[in-house]
């Protein structure tokens, strides 16, 4: 398949617009045309060893999850590893494509794959993705008393199944009267339906706030995930599930209470790779991520959140080598041989 066709299909699967603004994603190395892709190698990181492996494997393209070009380059010489990798890729006519935060944000991407070991849960992004090319969406915010919450959630869940409602967030915010804050993002028609139901159930609307949004949220897409478990699960069981999912014999846990393993977990905030900045201040019983700084871990534990660290790429590679490999097979009509690197691995090991 021609490289251009591969790239069009990849961008349809995960649009570049999903990437964080600071990221450098998409086609990063393009050999001169025509460039036929017969074999594509998936790797978490494009190291010199992985590049040598791809040359030996006669790959025409590498999908490197982390971008091998990030900071702007001023030269392409043999003086640094980064430059040597790029020079060698060009000389050997190997295209390089990097999806990085596109796949983190993607519904069913890296973050959802990482969270999938938690059992049954409802989920929402820590920071939802908004399509800035679309408008006409509204945010409704209201406080609902405890005795009416169940009925109101049922009404909203019915709308959620139809598509007029993009997102419902029941926050942990409780006002002095014990009412819980609901935030609902919906289309204009969805808003009128919800308002009808709201006025049927509640006589006063003095706590109702309506805001017109300038962009459209994309359901289930965005940075990180907050997962609310349907049934609370002990930390010990969750740790076992995470270890099995990531095929790891050990993880690092930070917690500030006696007998932490029996603690029941209801909410888990999940970030693949480095979770420190995104998880700052996020309310959850547990953070599940690859790495966090010492001070971020201390701050999380001080606010009552346990932290489970699995090392950076251990939270990413499983998605790439298992789910993505299968997804790309059907995306590219099984016309391209897709292989995964055998030498790519997390640089840290427990000894
Ligand atoms: Zn990463």
């Amino acid at each position: 398949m021609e490289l251009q066709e591969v790239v069009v299909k990849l961008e349809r699967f995960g649009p570049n617009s999903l990437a964080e603004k600071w990221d450098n994603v998409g086609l990063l190395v393009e050999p001169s045309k025509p460039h036929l892709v017969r074999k594509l190698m998936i790797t978490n990181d494009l190291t010199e060893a992985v590049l040598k492996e791809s040359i030996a494997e006669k790959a025409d393209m590498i999908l490197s999850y982390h971008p091998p070009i990030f900071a702007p380059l001023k030269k392409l010489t043999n003086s640094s590893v980064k430059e040597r990798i790029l020079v060698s890729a060009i000389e050997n006519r190997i295209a390089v494509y990097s999806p990085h935060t596109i796949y983190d944000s993607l519904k069913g991407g890296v973050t959802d794959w990482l969270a999938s070991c938690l059992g049954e849960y409802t989920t929402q992004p820590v920071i939802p993705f908004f399509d800035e090319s679309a408008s006409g969406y509204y945010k409704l915010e209201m406080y609902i008393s405890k005795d009416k919450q169940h009925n109101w959630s049922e009404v909203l869940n019915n709308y959620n199944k139809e598509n007029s409602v993009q997102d419902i967030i029941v926050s942990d915010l409780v006002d002095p009267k014990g009412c819980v804050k609901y935030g609902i993002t919906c289309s204009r028609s969805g808003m009128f339906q919800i308002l009808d139901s709201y006025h049927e159930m509640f006589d006063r609307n003095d706590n109702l706030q309506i805001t017109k949004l300038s962009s459209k949220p994309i359901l289930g897409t965005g940075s990180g995930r907050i997962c609310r478990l349907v049934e609370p699960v002990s930390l010990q069981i969750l740790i076992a599930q995470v270890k099995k999912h990531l095929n790891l014999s050990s993880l690092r846990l930070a917690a500030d209470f006696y007998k932490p393993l029996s603690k029941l977990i209801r909410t888990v905030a999940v970030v693949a790779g480095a979770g420190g900045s995104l998880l700052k201040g996020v309310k959850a019983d547990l953070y599940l991520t690859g790495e966090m700084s010492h001070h971020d871990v201390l701050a999380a534990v001080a606010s009552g959140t346990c932290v489970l660290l699995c090392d950076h790429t251990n939270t990413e590679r499983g998605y790439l080598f298992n789910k993505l490999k299968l997804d790309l097979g059907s995306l590219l009509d099984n016309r391209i041989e897709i292989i995964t690197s055998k030498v790519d691995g997390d640089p840290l090991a427990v000894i």
Side-chain angles (χ1 to χ4, degrees):
M1 191 182 289
E2 256 308 314
L3 175 61
Q4 265 180 318
E5 197 183 341
V6 176
V7 171
V8 166
K9 283 179 185 282
L10 286 174
E11 286 182 357
R12 213 171 284 151
F13 173 72
N16 287 0
S17 58
L18 293 186
E20 298 286 349
K21 300 274 181 283
W22 48 260
D23 209 354
N24 190 42
V25 296
L27 186 62
L28 302 185
V29 174
E30 181 182 18
S32 56
K33 291 172 191 164
H35 185 69
L36 202 61
V37 181
R38 295 179 197 85
K39 204 184 232 187
L40 182 152
M41 179 185 271
I42 299 175
T43 185
N44 211 124
D45 289 283
L46 182 48
T47 59
E48 237 171 350
V50 171
L51 189 79
K52 280 181 187 156
E53 182 190 12
S54 71
I55 295 167
E57 286 282 355
K58 297 189 169 28
D60 314 286
M61 182 169 185
I62 295 173
L63 185 144
S64 172
Y65 168 73
H66 287 142
I69 305 175
F70 196 74
L73 287 163
K74 289 194 170 176
K75 55 188 172 56
L76 269 179
T77 66
N78 280 277
S79 61
S80 75
V81 176
K82 271 184 186 295
E83 292 171 59
R84 277 201 301 276
I85 289 169
L86 296 167
V87 169
S88 184
I90 294 165
E91 284 175 347
N92 288 281
R93 295 187 57 73
I94 299 172
V96 180
Y97 182 93
S98 179
H100 201 207
T101 52
I102 296 173
Y103 289 0
D104 292 350
S105 180
L106 191 69
K107 190 177 182 184
V110 183
T111 319
D112 284 322
W113 172 84
L114 178 59
S116 65
C117 64
L118 299 175
E120 257 193 277
Y121 56 85
T122 56
T123 184
Q124 70 199 50
V126 174
I127 300 176
F129 173 77
F130 283 81
D131 179 359
E132 285 169 6
S133 62
S135 61
Y137 274 74
Y138 292 81
K139 180 153 198 167
L140 308 185
E141 289 170 297
M142 67 232 357
Y143 283 88
I144 304 293
S145 62
K146 273 219 159 103
D147 57 318
K148 303 243 168 98
Q149 262 180 53
H150 179 72
N151 288 351
W152 185 234
S153 291
E154 269 192 354
V155 168
L156 292 179
N157 283 340
N158 285 335
Y159 286 126
N160 209 7
K161 283 173 200 144
E162 294 164 11
N163 222 359
S164 49
V165 176
Q166 287 279 317
D167 204 12
I168 297 169
I169 296 174
V170 183
S171 99
D172 296 323
L173 277 178
V174 178
D175 75 358
K177 290 179 201 153
C179 296
V180 171
K181 189 179 183 186
Y182 280 66
I184 305 159
T185 310
C186 52
S187 66
R188 188 177 157 81
S189 63
M191 176 180 68
F192 286 123
Q193 291 171 40
I194 289 169
L195 287 179
D196 279 348
S197 302
Y198 181 80
H199 289 131
E200 262 174 41
M201 278 183 70
F202 309 101
D203 357 296
R204 63 192 197 105
N205 59 9
D206 53 338
N207 68 6
L208 177 68
Q209 253 196 349
I210 302 174
T211 316
K212 188 166 193 255
L213 302 172
S214 57
S215 52
K216 177 186 169 188
I218 305 297
L219 193 64
T221 307
S223 309
R225 297 288 184 270
I226 296 179
C227 303
R228 286 169 210 279
L229 307 185
V230 172
E231 294 287 342
V233 177
S234 77
L235 184 55
Q236 187 168 23
I237 290 175
L238 280 184
I239 290 171
Q241 288 171 195
V242 173
K243 279 184 179 175
K244 190 173 173 214
H245 186 49
L246 302 184
N247 197 21
L248 294 173
S249 56
S250 59
L251 305 171
R252 286 184 296 157
L253 171 70
D256 183 26
F257 42 83
Y258 186 59
K259 286 190 179 170
L261 296 180
S262 60
K263 179 180 168 139
L264 286 179
I265 302 294
R266 289 174 177 80
T267 51
V268 187
V270 181
V271 174
S277 57
L278 190 59
L279 290 170
K280 213 161 267 177
V282 171
K283 279 195 87 174
D285 297 327
L286 174 70
Y287 290 167
L288 169 61
T289 187
E291 59 171 313
M292 274 171 71
S293 78
H294 169 72
H295 295 287
D296 287 341
V297 171
L298 282 183
V301 171
S303 61
T305 302
C306 308
V307 178
L308 207 48
L309 300 180
C310 316
D311 282 339
H312 192 114
T313 63
N314 292 335
T315 58
E316 302 165 339
R317 189 172 294 98
Y319 166 77
L320 302 169
F321 283 26
N322 298 301
K323 188 167 188 306
L324 182 70
K325 190 182 177 201
L326 289 175
D327 287 352
L328 289 191
S330 51
L331 180 80
L332 302 170
D333 310 319
N334 296 311
R335 284 160 57 197
I336 293 175
E337 187 186 351
I338 297 168
I339 58 171
T340 52
S341 169
K342 292 185 184 71
V343 298
D344 175 60
D346 198 87
L348 290 170
V350 178
I351 54 165

